[in-house]
Amino acid sequence: MAVARTAPVARLVPAAVASAGETRVLTYAQALNEALFEEMRRDAAVFVMGEDVAAWGGGGIFGVTKGLMEEFGAERVRDTPISEEAIAAVAVGAAATGSRPVAEIMYVDFMGLAMEPIVNQAAKLRYMFGGKAKVPMVLRAQEGAGRGNAAQHSQSLEAWFCHIPGLKVVTPSAPADAKGLLKSAIRDDNPVIFLEHKALYFNKGPVPSGEHLVPLGIADVKRTGAHVTVVGIHTMVDKALQAAEALTSEGIELEVIDPRTLVPLDEETIFESVRKTGRLIVTHEAYTNAGFGAEIVSRVVTSVFDYLDAPPLRVCARDVPVPYAVPLEAAALPQVDDLIAAARSLVRGER
Amino acid sequence: MAGRNSATKRPTRTYLSKDQLATAVRLMLTIREFDEQAMALYRAGEMRGTTHPYIGMEAVGTGVMTALRPDDYVTSTHRGHGHTIAKGGDIRKMMAELLGRATGYSGGKGGSMHIADMDKNMLGANGIVGGGIGLAAGAALTAKLQGSGRVAVCFFGDGALNQGILHEVSNLSAIWKLPVVFVCENNQYAMSARADWSVAGGDPAGRAAAYGIPGVNVDGMDFFAVYDAASKLVQRAREGGGPSYLVCQTYRYHGHHAGDPLNYRQKEEVERWRKLDPIDRLTQALLSGKVLTEAEIAATRQSVVEAVQEAVEFAKSSPEPGVDQLMTDVYA
């Protein structure tokens, strides 16, 4: 599907947005892999660890760390046992002492085993020590449904991390952003929870070679439109673009925004869009209840209430464990048709 | 019981200079006086939250730290004042932190359980039982990656023996041969639960065998025993031999925290342990060995009392942090 990609709003693009080299078509997984190669070559303090990331897994179950051990050796590309709490905690200690770990938790669902060092150590050391420590670590994981992995391997848990001050939370949807955001995350002096989506790994897109950095905290307006602002995370960006395409025949224009990072959140780009459209849909694969969409709605209602023509809507996953069977899984997740129906209801008042 | 299965023979005290021994005495006296004054401040209502006194356990932190280089890493526990002092921390900044002052180690943002001295490679006390275990292994990994020859020491109590992170990190450290020494301060109680009830098998050092690493028990009330055992294990780690367990049998004279009603243990037990007092034993040994004189020790005691008093006065006269500091230091 051809989608017009618009540049981010000009005033939000700092001079530091650097792009270099030619643009090739890569998968999301290849783009992440390229970012790791480039950052490990650039900075000897960067190292990679996780389950099946080096020799055992041949470079990760989705190939994101493929080839790293061959170039950088087993000291800097380290397989770990299945010990999620240790992976996260060792990353914190390494980061606090001058290393820049890029640690992987294979599924975001396993983060439950690693929450102590993430929440009580990584996020808090700097504050508790009065600014005397820094924790420059990236904790990668993949989340999301759509592959029949059922309840313990399909969740989208980004809201857990957004709730904790001291963490940054990144959710790329496009291959170029995956590369540019991962490079920025590795260079960031804070703990960054870098959440990939398992259904996106084999999506292809144009990716600049070399020094392509996407700063954390800058949203991308994927498509402009006059009537409804749709803020989507991960796979819901593409579904929103499909809904937008389908609605053109009805004269309904969607403006699709990918926040790209949730913490820090580029709320001004969202506010500016809502000031124009007067209508908001938030959409993510995470559960509706207490999902990050609620945070976006809250900020919009608080800051640009006077511009709203209708109550904002959440088109998010149902509040149920992700089921296995095809029709059940599909029914639990927000779909293109749900977005179309929500947009119609906002524009035509069909409630 | 103290000294059970002690792996060390008679102390090799000749390895230590008079200066080092005098420093050890001063550090142990400082730890005790600092925590006595911290408890007094807490009882007087001048300190918020709580404080976990290290009194009775001074030989462990001081003995281990005497075996370290200044650039070696240490992670600590909620009972962290002793480790910070023994690693060379500044008691004025510590006391100011306890009183929540801008001049404290963390500018008043952390309090007793969150004091770190990154310049001295003291990577922080920790409010989570077992919270420092992975951090120590991470510091050891940095040392290994950088080839710096530095060692990380991880202090934890008998309570942390039963946290899952200890198993994960012990295993990981063993297969990666990380230069880390896991020092268990078995002070016999995890909050109010007795270690001989909570720790299955009765011998935590014996767990090390399952990881294929050394596990050593020492009398944690004996500075020399701790120093000797720690020296060997630290040296082994520094030379690439990998991790080890050092279990120090010790005792906290006071409660888990300053407000602990202490209704779970008998006076006779406390008296029995107090007879093993680590400061008395060290000073007696140094007197009988004619390393230090009564006058020198008395002078040290006096200067320690004065230094801690000065730290209290410094803390009390320091300003509280301005509210403009509330949102700083969340992100780098």
Side-chain angles (χ1 to χ4, degrees), chain A residues 41-339:
Chain A
R41 284 180 192 141
R42 184 187 60 79
D43 183 352
V46 178
F47 75 94
V48 165
M49 66 174 166
E51 296 159 13
D52 286 3
V53 301
W56 295 118
I61 56 173
F62 295 101
V64 174
T65 54
K66 196 177 172 74
L68 294 174
M69 195 192 69
E70 289 73 11
E71 175 160 338
F72 301 103
E75 278 291 296
R76 286 179 69 197
V77 187
R78 310 180 76 92
D79 280 319
T80 68
I82 300 176
S83 300
E84 282 84 7
E85 188 178 2
I87 293 168
V90 167
V92 177
T97 50
S99 298
R100 301 188 86 90
V102 183
E104 177 178 318
I105 302 292
M106 192 180 277
Y107 284 77
V108 78
D109 313 74
F110 310 161
M111 286 280 196
L113 294 157
M115 286 304 264
E116 199 293 306
I118 297 169
V119 171
N120 285 318
Q121 312 297 335
K124 294 183 174 53
L125 284 196
R126 182 172 183 81
Y127 194 82
M128 293 190 303
F129 301 166
K132 308 253 173 29
K134 62 178 183 179
V135 186
M137 62 181 272
V138 177
L139 201 55
R140 293 180 43 244
Q142 47 85 17
E143 59 178 25
R147 289 171 58 94
N149 290 325
Q152 295 174 334
H153 293 74
S154 298
Q155 297 173 93
S156 290
L157 298 173
E158 63 273 4
W160 285 9
F161 309 100
C162 295
H163 189 60
I164 304 299
L167 301 177
K168 294 188 177 182
V169 182
V170 180
T171 53
S173 71
D177 289 345
K179 175 179 174 178
L181 289 166
L182 182 54
K183 286 169 70 79
S184 293
I186 291 169
R187 298 182 193 191
D188 200 286
D189 278 340
N190 298 284
V192 179
I193 308 298
F194 194 93
L195 299 172
E196 299 152 21
H197 191 296
K198 62 173 72 62
L200 296 176
Y201 280 123
F202 306 109
N203 282 12
K204 290 181 177 170
V207 179
S209 65
E211 191 75 347
H212 168 63
L213 295 171
V214 177
L216 308 188
I218 306 290
D220 188 13
V221 180
K222 295 284 188 182
R223 177 183 177 122
T224 55
H227 303 124
V228 183
T229 299
V230 183
V231 180
I233 297 171
H234 277 157
T235 53
M236 297 315 295
V237 174
D238 189 57
K239 286 183 180 172
L241 291 170
Q242 291 179 45
E245 200 63 28
L247 285 165
T248 51
S249 61
E250 300 176 31
I252 296 175
E253 294 178 15
L254 305 188
E255 179 147 300
V256 179
I257 298 175
D258 178 358
R260 299 195 288 195
T261 65
L262 306 182
V263 181
L265 179 69
D266 179 3
E267 58 183 21
E268 192 47 47
T269 291
I270 297 169
F271 294 163
E272 188 164 297
S273 177
V274 172
R275 285 187 201 106
K276 178 176 71 176
T277 63
R279 301 176 187 90
L280 173 67
I281 293 171
V282 293
T283 180
H284 52 56
E285 279 192 29
Y287 310 120
T288 306
N289 185 32
F292 194 74
E295 176 66 27
I296 295 174
V297 168
S298 172
R299 294 201 205 182
V300 164
V301 168
T302 303
S303 298
V304 288
F305 181 80
D306 291 346
Y307 293 86
L308 285 169
D309 295 327
L313 293 181
R314 289 183 284 177
V315 180
C316 302
R318 303 287 297 277
D319 292 312
V320 61
V322 181
Y324 172 68
V326 171
L328 293 180
E329 189 192 42
L333 296 176
Q335 303 295 349
V336 175
D337 285 348
D338 299 321
L339 289 167

Side-chain angles (χ1 to χ4, degrees), chain B residues 68-280:
Chain B
L68 297 183
R69 298 194 323 214
D71 64 344
D72 288 332
Y73 302 106
V74 165
T75 65
S76 175
T77 70
H78 56 288
R79 200 176 304 285
H81 302 163
H83 305 135
T84 307
I85 291 169
K87 195 74 172 76
D90 179 345
I91 58 171
R92 299 166 94 233
K93 287 157 82 172
M94 290 175 66
M95 199 61 90
E97 189 59 34
L98 264 55
L99 295 194
R101 303 307 163 109
T103 54
Y105 260 109
S106 308
K109 286 176 173 169
S112 166
M113 279 192 285
H114 306 301
I115 293 173
D117 190 332
M118 301 302 284
D119 295 334
K120 296 233 163 34
N121 303 297
M122 200 306 227
L123 307 180
N126 211 302
I128 305 298
V129 171
I133 294 170
L135 273 55
L141 179 54
T142 289
K144 190 167 193 286
L145 289 170
Q146 294 178 347
S148 64
R150 294 156 83 168
V151 170
V153 165
C154 171
F155 291 98
F156 58 96
D158 45 292
L161 282 167
N162 303 321
Q163 291 281 33
I165 185 74
L166 180 61
H167 165 62
E168 290 191 20
V169 170
S170 298
N171 182 69
L172 185 72
S173 301
I175 64 172
W176 283 359
K177 281 204 155 195
L178 296 180
V180 55
V181 180
F182 298 101
V183 178
C184 175
E185 302 179 309
N186 181 1
N187 66 15
Q188 315 303 323
Y189 290 90
M191 295 186 289
S192 55
R194 287 177 62 99
D196 61 8
W197 167 81
S198 67
V199 182
D203 178 22
R207 293 185 186 180
Y211 303 110
I213 62 176
V216 176
N217 269 301
V218 294
D219 176 357
M221 309 298 276
D222 180 348
F223 167 83
F224 292 110
V226 173
Y227 167 75
D228 280 353
S231 294
K232 288 173 187 139
L233 298 175
V234 166
Q235 192 58 28
R236 180 178 177 278
R238 207 182 300 290
E239 290 166 358
S244 53
Y245 275 27
L246 175 60
V247 179
C248 302
Q249 304 293 335
T250 184
Y251 201 74
R252 55 168 154 80
Y253 291 178
H254 297 283
H256 167 58
H257 56 86
D260 186 347
L262 272 175
N263 54 4
Y264 48 84
R265 65 187 198 188
Q266 304 297 316
K267 275 198 174 114
E268 297 72 29
E269 178 184 283
V270 181
E271 289 312 309
R272 202 162 64 241
W273 280 91
R274 278 181 178 270
K275 282 182 186 143
L276 301 169
D277 186 77
I279 297 178
D280 288 351

